[in-house]
Amino acid sequence: MPKIVVFYDGACPGCVRDRAWYQKHAGQGVQVEWLDINGRDDELRALGIEPRAALLELHVQDEQGQILRALPAYQLLLSRLPGYRWLGWLIGLPLIRSILSWLYRHWVRHRLAREGRL
């Protein structure tokens, strides 16, 4: 299976825990590269990702080099986990997607403000 790249906030304990969870549940052949966004502003910009946006939303680069963000990024990541593809489909449903997007944005902004990084 071709590799995807997940851009995550390595300074966020919850994000690090999420990464460990994904890695634990990934089956053999699941190719995911995890890239900590901290200190990589130039690399992010070269890919068309604004560093501030990378803090506020999950970004994933698919096999073709396309950058997905927010819930579509989570859907792609979940589609690679055996037994969790259904969850990727579920979070893509319009009403659920809207609610989860709002909750995620609120949680991230609150966390970054609390940490003094927003």
Side-chain angles (χ1 to χ4, degrees):
M1 182 176 290
K3 177 177 70 171
I4 62 173
V5 180
V6 179
F7 301 90
Y8 77 103
D9 182 0
C12 163
C15 302
V16 172
R17 277 192 305 275
D18 287 349
R19 174 187 172 178
W21 184 89
Y22 283 111
Q23 287 178 307
K24 176 182 173 187
H25 289 88
Q28 284 189 329
V30 175
Q31 299 292 319
V32 177
E33 178 183 343
W34 296 87
L35 189 69
D36 183 354
I37 61 171
N38 292 287
R40 297 181 183 263
D41 291 1
D42 292 338
E43 291 175 58
L44 292 170
R45 285 189 187 100
L47 292 167
I49 303 170
E50 281 301 314
R52 186 177 190 320
L55 275 175
L56 295 171
E57 297 176 316
L58 178 70
H59 287 70
V60 175
Q61 185 178 40
D62 69 12
E63 301 86 347
Q64 291 78 37
Q66 179 183 1
I67 302 292
L68 303 171
R69 56 185 206 114
L71 263 323
Y74 280 103
Q75 287 179 277
L76 177 60
L77 184 54
L78 288 168
S79 76
R80 302 312 167 104
L81 299 179
Y84 290 90
R85 290 179 182 95
W86 66 270
L87 186 55
W89 173 83
L90 182 68
I91 67 174
L93 294 175
L95 181 60
I96 293 172
R97 180 184 219 154
S98 297
I99 293 168
L100 286 178
S101 292
W102 183 88
L103 288 170
Y104 182 79
R105 282 191 310 270
H106 178 76
W107 176 79
V108 169
R109 287 183 183 279
H110 178 72
R111 175 183 62 81
L112 291 172
R114 186 180 65 238
E115 295 170 358
R117 298 195 304 146
L118 186 59

